[in-house]
Amino acid sequence: MPKLKIDKKKPIVISLGGSMIVPECGPDTEFLNRMDKLVRSFVEKGQLVAIICGGGKTARHYIDAAAQIHKIDPEDLDWIGIHATRLNAHLVRTLFRDIAHPVVIKDPTKTPKRWKGKVLVASGWKPGWSTDYVASRMAHKLGVKNVVNVSNISHVFEEDPRKNPEAKPLNELSWKVYRLMVGDNWHPGKSAPFDPIASKFCQKNKMEVAVASADLENLKKVMSGENWVGTLLK
Ligand code: UTP
Protein backbone atom coordinates (compact mmCIF):
# COMPACT_ATOMS: atom_id res chain seq x y z
CA MET A 1 0.00 0.00 0.00
CA PRO A 2 1.32 3.48 -0.83
CA LYS A 3 2.25 6.26 1.57
CA LEU A 4 2.39 10.01 0.97
CA LYS A 5 5.28 12.05 2.36
CA ILE A 6 3.55 14.64 4.54
CA ASP A 7 5.51 17.64 5.79
CA LYS A 8 3.38 18.63 8.80
CA LYS A 9 4.83 22.15 8.78
CA LYS A 10 3.33 22.77 5.35
CA PRO A 11 -0.33 22.81 4.26
CA ILE A 12 -2.03 19.65 3.04
CA VAL A 13 -3.44 20.45 -0.41
CA ILE A 14 -6.65 18.62 -1.30
CA SER A 15 -8.22 18.61 -4.76
CA LEU A 16 -11.78 17.86 -3.75
CA GLY A 17 -13.66 16.41 -6.73
CA GLY A 18 -16.88 18.26 -7.34
CA SER A 19 -18.77 14.98 -7.55
CA MET A 20 -18.03 14.53 -3.84
CA ILE A 21 -19.62 17.88 -3.03
CA VAL A 22 -22.52 17.59 -5.49
CA PRO A 23 -22.89 13.96 -6.60
CA GLU A 24 -26.32 14.33 -8.18
CA CYS A 25 -28.97 17.00 -7.72
CA GLY A 26 -27.62 18.86 -4.73
CA PRO A 27 -24.88 18.92 -2.10
CA ASP A 28 -24.08 15.72 -0.21
CA THR A 29 -24.58 16.93 3.36
CA GLU A 30 -23.51 13.64 4.90
CA PHE A 31 -20.16 13.72 3.08
CA LEU A 32 -19.67 17.43 3.81
CA ASN A 33 -20.41 16.90 7.47
CA ARG A 34 -17.83 14.10 7.76
CA MET A 35 -15.27 16.08 5.75
CA ASP A 36 -15.82 19.06 8.03
CA LYS A 37 -15.07 16.92 11.10
CA LEU A 38 -12.02 15.32 9.51
CA VAL A 39 -10.45 18.63 8.44
CA ARG A 40 -11.19 20.18 11.83
CA SER A 41 -9.49 17.26 13.61
CA PHE A 42 -6.28 18.01 11.65
CA VAL A 43 -6.59 21.77 12.15
CA GLU A 44 -6.87 21.22 15.92
CA LYS A 45 -3.42 19.61 15.77
CA GLY A 46 -2.07 22.74 14.08
CA GLN A 47 -2.27 21.53 10.48
CA LEU A 48 -3.02 23.99 7.65
CA VAL A 49 -5.32 22.63 4.94
CA ALA A 50 -6.02 24.02 1.45
CA ILE A 51 -9.13 22.69 -0.29
CA ILE A 52 -9.68 23.25 -4.01
CA CYS A 53 -13.28 22.51 -4.93
CA GLY A 54 -14.49 20.97 -8.20
CA GLY A 55 -17.74 21.67 -9.99
CA GLY A 56 -19.42 18.27 -9.73
CA LYS A 57 -22.83 17.53 -11.18
CA THR A 58 -23.79 21.21 -11.02
CA ALA A 59 -21.08 21.91 -13.60
CA ARG A 60 -22.08 18.90 -15.73
CA HIS A 61 -25.83 19.68 -15.64
CA TYR A 62 -25.38 23.36 -16.49
CA ILE A 63 -22.82 22.68 -19.22
CA ASP A 64 -25.12 20.03 -20.75
CA ALA A 65 -28.15 22.33 -20.54
CA ALA A 66 -26.43 25.15 -22.43
CA ALA A 67 -24.95 22.77 -25.02
CA GLN A 68 -28.36 21.16 -25.68
CA ILE A 69 -29.95 24.45 -26.66
CA HIS A 70 -27.19 26.10 -28.71
CA LYS A 71 -23.77 25.30 -30.05
CA ILE A 72 -21.69 26.94 -27.33
CA ASP A 73 -18.07 27.95 -27.50
CA PRO A 74 -15.91 25.62 -25.32
CA GLU A 75 -14.63 28.66 -23.44
CA ASP A 76 -18.17 29.61 -22.44
CA LEU A 77 -18.86 26.04 -21.31
CA ASP A 78 -15.74 26.27 -19.15
CA TRP A 79 -17.02 29.52 -17.60
CA ILE A 80 -20.19 27.73 -16.56
CA GLY A 81 -18.01 25.03 -14.96
CA ILE A 82 -15.86 27.65 -13.22
CA HIS A 83 -18.93 29.27 -11.67
CA ALA A 84 -20.07 25.86 -10.41
CA THR A 85 -16.65 25.41 -8.74
CA ARG A 86 -17.04 28.87 -7.18
CA LEU A 87 -20.46 28.01 -5.81
CA ASN A 88 -19.09 24.81 -4.27
CA ALA A 89 -16.06 26.64 -2.89
CA HIS A 90 -18.34 29.20 -1.26
CA LEU A 91 -20.34 26.41 0.31
CA VAL A 92 -17.17 24.78 1.69
CA ARG A 93 -15.72 28.08 2.91
CA THR A 94 -18.98 28.84 4.67
CA LEU A 95 -18.75 25.54 6.55
CA PHE A 96 -15.25 26.49 7.75
CA ARG A 97 -16.17 30.15 8.28
CA ASP A 98 -14.71 30.28 11.82
CA ILE A 99 -11.32 28.86 10.80
CA ALA A 100 -11.02 29.76 7.09
CA HIS A 101 -9.30 32.54 5.20
CA PRO A 102 -12.08 35.11 4.60
CA VAL A 103 -12.20 34.87 0.81
CA VAL A 104 -12.29 32.04 -1.72
CA ILE A 105 -9.12 32.05 -3.81
CA LYS A 106 -10.18 32.30 -7.45
CA ASP A 107 -6.71 32.85 -8.93
CA PRO A 108 -4.02 30.38 -7.72
CA THR A 109 -1.22 32.75 -8.79
CA LYS A 110 -2.48 35.07 -6.02
CA THR A 111 -2.37 32.41 -3.30
CA PRO A 112 -1.52 34.32 -0.10
CA LYS A 113 1.70 33.27 1.64
CA ARG A 114 0.10 34.03 4.99
CA TRP A 115 -3.49 33.04 5.53
CA LYS A 116 -5.92 34.30 8.05
CA GLY A 117 -7.15 31.10 9.68
CA LYS A 118 -6.15 27.50 9.10
CA VAL A 119 -8.17 26.54 6.04
CA LEU A 120 -7.80 28.04 2.58
CA VAL A 121 -10.58 27.37 0.07
CA ALA A 122 -10.14 27.79 -3.69
CA SER A 123 -12.20 27.33 -6.84
CA GLY A 124 -11.48 26.92 -10.56
CA TRP A 125 -9.69 29.79 -12.25
CA LYS A 126 -9.83 30.08 -16.02
CA PRO A 127 -10.99 28.29 -19.17
CA GLY A 128 -8.87 25.33 -20.25
CA TRP A 129 -7.96 24.50 -16.65
CA SER A 130 -9.35 21.98 -14.18
CA THR A 131 -9.44 22.18 -10.41
CA ASP A 132 -6.77 19.43 -10.33
CA TYR A 133 -4.52 21.84 -12.21
CA VAL A 134 -5.41 24.73 -9.87
CA ALA A 135 -4.59 22.46 -6.89
CA SER A 136 -1.24 21.46 -8.42
CA ARG A 137 -0.28 25.07 -9.17
CA MET A 138 -1.37 26.15 -5.72
CA ALA A 139 0.62 23.37 -4.02
CA HIS A 140 3.69 24.38 -6.02
CA LYS A 141 3.21 28.02 -5.04
CA LEU A 142 2.93 26.97 -1.37
CA GLY A 143 6.11 24.87 -1.62
CA VAL A 144 4.14 21.64 -1.09
CA LYS A 145 5.38 18.62 -3.03
CA ASN A 146 2.11 16.68 -3.17
CA VAL A 147 -1.62 16.88 -3.78
CA VAL A 148 -4.34 14.68 -2.32
CA ASN A 149 -6.94 13.98 -5.01
CA VAL A 150 -10.29 12.99 -3.53
CA SER A 151 -12.86 11.75 -6.00
CA ASN A 152 -15.16 8.82 -6.63
CA ILE A 153 -12.21 6.98 -8.21
CA SER A 154 -10.42 4.84 -5.64
CA HIS A 155 -7.43 3.86 -7.80
CA VAL A 156 -5.89 4.15 -11.18
CA PHE A 157 -6.51 0.78 -12.85
CA GLU A 158 -4.40 -1.05 -15.42
CA GLU A 159 -7.27 -0.59 -17.87
CA ASP A 160 -10.55 1.34 -17.77
CA PRO A 161 -12.61 -0.66 -15.24
CA ARG A 162 -15.83 0.32 -17.05
CA LYS A 163 -14.53 -1.56 -20.09
CA ASN A 164 -12.82 -4.40 -18.20
CA PRO A 165 -14.30 -5.14 -14.74
CA GLU A 166 -11.34 -7.48 -14.10
CA ALA A 167 -8.82 -4.62 -14.49
CA LYS A 168 -6.28 -4.57 -11.66
CA PRO A 169 -5.98 -1.53 -9.35
CA LEU A 170 -2.46 -0.07 -9.12
CA ASN A 171 -0.74 1.01 -5.89
CA GLU A 172 1.88 3.15 -7.54
CA LEU A 173 2.44 4.52 -11.01
CA SER A 174 5.06 6.75 -12.62
CA TRP A 175 3.93 9.96 -14.31
CA LYS A 176 5.46 8.64 -17.51
CA VAL A 177 3.19 5.59 -17.60
CA TYR A 178 0.12 7.42 -16.28
CA ARG A 179 0.46 10.13 -18.92
CA LEU A 180 0.68 7.52 -21.65
CA MET A 181 -2.60 6.10 -20.30
CA VAL A 182 -4.59 9.35 -20.14
CA GLY A 183 -3.08 11.33 -23.04
CA ASP A 184 -2.39 15.04 -23.10
CA ASN A 185 -5.79 16.57 -23.81
CA TRP A 186 -8.37 18.10 -21.59
CA HIS A 187 -11.94 19.10 -22.42
CA PRO A 188 -14.91 20.23 -20.30
CA GLY A 189 -16.29 17.31 -18.38
CA LYS A 190 -13.41 14.94 -19.21
CA SER A 191 -13.29 12.14 -16.70
CA ALA A 192 -9.80 10.95 -15.72
CA PRO A 193 -8.51 10.06 -12.24
CA PHE A 194 -6.22 13.11 -12.44
CA ASP A 195 -6.22 15.80 -15.13
CA PRO A 196 -3.59 15.21 -17.86
CA ILE A 197 -2.45 18.86 -17.90
CA ALA A 198 -2.05 18.85 -14.12
CA SER A 199 -0.15 15.56 -14.50
CA LYS A 200 2.33 17.15 -16.90
CA PHE A 201 2.87 19.99 -14.42
CA CYS A 202 3.36 17.57 -11.49
CA GLN A 203 5.79 15.43 -13.46
CA LYS A 204 7.83 18.51 -14.43
CA ASN A 205 7.94 19.72 -10.83
CA LYS A 206 8.60 16.28 -9.29
CA MET A 207 5.37 16.32 -7.34
CA GLU A 208 3.35 13.36 -6.10
CA VAL A 209 -0.41 12.85 -6.15
CA ALA A 210 -2.42 10.55 -3.90
CA VAL A 211 -5.50 9.21 -5.69
CA ALA A 212 -8.02 8.35 -2.98
CA SER A 213 -11.74 7.74 -2.79
CA ALA A 214 -14.07 9.65 -0.49
CA ASP A 215 -13.76 6.99 2.25
CA LEU A 216 -12.79 9.40 5.00
CA GLU A 217 -11.10 6.82 7.25
CA ASN A 218 -8.81 6.14 4.31
CA LEU A 219 -8.37 9.85 3.62
CA LYS A 220 -7.34 10.34 7.24
CA LYS A 221 -4.52 7.84 6.63
CA VAL A 222 -3.38 9.69 3.50
CA MET A 223 -3.32 12.98 5.41
CA SER A 224 -1.44 11.39 8.32
CA GLY A 225 1.27 10.00 6.04
CA GLU A 226 0.19 6.41 6.74
CA ASN A 227 -0.36 3.61 4.23
CA TRP A 228 -3.65 4.07 2.44
CA VAL A 229 -5.70 2.24 -0.17
CA GLY A 230 -5.35 4.01 -3.51
CA THR A 231 -2.73 4.95 -6.09
CA LEU A 232 0.38 7.08 -5.69
CA LEU A 233 1.31 8.95 -8.87
CA LYS A 234 4.98 9.95 -8.80
P1 UTP B 1 -13.48 20.29 -12.65
O1 UTP B 1 -13.62 19.33 -13.76
O2 UTP B 1 -12.14 20.70 -12.39
O3 UTP B 1 -14.22 19.82 -11.39
O4 UTP B 1 -14.35 21.56 -13.00
P2 UTP B 1 -14.70 18.40 -10.90
O5 UTP B 1 -16.16 18.51 -10.68
O6 UTP B 1 -13.87 18.05 -9.74
O7 UTP B 1 -14.47 17.33 -12.00
P3 UTP B 1 -14.37 15.78 -11.70
O8 UTP B 1 -15.40 15.44 -10.64
O9 UTP B 1 -12.95 15.57 -11.24
O10 UTP B 1 -14.63 15.18 -13.06
C1 UTP B 1 -15.58 21.47 -13.65
C2 UTP B 1 -15.50 22.17 -15.00
O11 UTP B 1 -15.22 23.56 -14.80
C3 UTP B 1 -14.36 24.07 -15.80
C4 UTP B 1 -14.14 22.92 -16.77
O12 UTP B 1 -15.12 23.01 -17.79
C5 UTP B 1 -14.38 21.70 -15.90
O13 UTP B 1 -14.75 20.57 -16.66
N1 UTP B 1 -13.13 24.62 -15.19
C6 UTP B 1 -12.78 24.31 -13.90
C7 UTP B 1 -12.34 25.50 -15.92
O14 UTP B 1 -12.61 25.79 -17.09
N2 UTP B 1 -11.23 26.06 -15.33
C8 UTP B 1 -10.87 25.78 -14.05
O15 UTP B 1 -9.86 26.36 -13.56
C9 UTP B 1 -11.66 24.87 -13.34
Side-chain angles (χ1 to χ4, degrees):
M1 284 199 291
K3 230 182 199 180
L4 198 66
K5 285 179 224 118
I6 299 285
D7 179 348
K8 292 197 171 119
K9 287 189 243 67
K10 298 221 166 122
I12 293 176
V13 178
I14 301 175
S15 177
L16 182 58
S19 35
M20 302 298 95
I21 306 168
V22 183
E24 270 311 322
C25 295
D28 183 342
T29 46
E30 200 193 311
F31 171 77
L32 289 169
N33 191 7
R34 287 189 296 124
M35 188 73 194
D36 178 273
K37 290 199 172 74
L38 177 67
V39 170
R40 283 175 191 276
S41 71
F42 276 82
V43 164
E44 273 160 23
K45 289 184 269 177
Q47 181 67 57
L48 293 177
V49 182
I51 306 172
I52 300 84
C53 302
K57 278 283 157 55
T58 312
R60 301 276 161 99
H61 287 158
Y62 275 64
I63 286 173
D64 290 350
Q68 265 176 40
I69 298 166
H70 283 301
K71 187 165 168 19
I72 315 266
D73 197 74
E75 189 168 319
D76 288 327
L77 294 180
D78 276 350
W79 276 115
I80 296 178
I82 291 165
H83 283 280
T85 69
R86 288 181 178 174
L87 180 62
N88 286 341
H90 277 284
L91 170 62
V92 170
R93 203 200 75 77
T94 304
L95 299 179
F96 292 111
R97 197 178 194 289
D98 52 326
I99 52 169
H101 188 71
V103 289
V104 168
I105 305 302
K106 299 189 189 78
D107 172 351
T109 65
K110 299 207 174 94
T111 303
K113 283 228 166 68
R114 294 210 182 138
W115 321 343
K116 288 189 189 129
K118 298 283 182 197
V119 176
L120 189 68
V121 182
S123 67
W125 183 30
K126 59 179 182 177
W129 284 43
S130 69
T131 45
D132 288 344
Y133 191 31
V134 172
S136 309
R137 295 287 289 248
M138 200 172 219
H140 186 59
K141 183 110 188 151
L142 291 166
V144 178
K145 293 306 273 181
N146 49 41
V147 173
V148 182
N149 186 62
V150 181
S151 75
N152 46 17
I153 298 170
S154 66
H155 290 87
V156 178
F157 289 80
E158 265 178 355
E159 291 172 68
D160 186 342
R162 286 168 302 188
K163 290 186 190 141
N164 177 9
E166 311 270 291
K168 282 206 194 87
L170 300 165
N171 286 336
E172 212 174 281
L173 199 58
S174 69
W175 285 120
K176 195 174 165 203
V177 176
Y178 177 72
R179 290 189 55 216
L180 282 172
M181 285 165 77
V182 294
D184 272 335
N185 297 324
W186 172 251
H187 59 79
K190 177 163 177 160
S191 181
F194 196 70
D195 162 28
I197 298 173
S199 302
K200 190 174 175 183
F201 180 83
C202 288
Q203 181 181 28
K204 185 171 155 231
N205 291 291
K206 300 191 169 38
M207 293 165 68
E208 296 186 348
V209 169
V211 171
S213 72
D215 169 345
L216 295 186
E217 275 308 310
N218 195 41
L219 183 58
K220 187 176 171 186
K221 291 185 182 149
V222 182
M223 292 170 71
S224 308
E226 293 169 17
N227 290 108
W228 93 95
V229 178
T231 307
L232 180 69
L233 297 171
K234 58 187 277 196

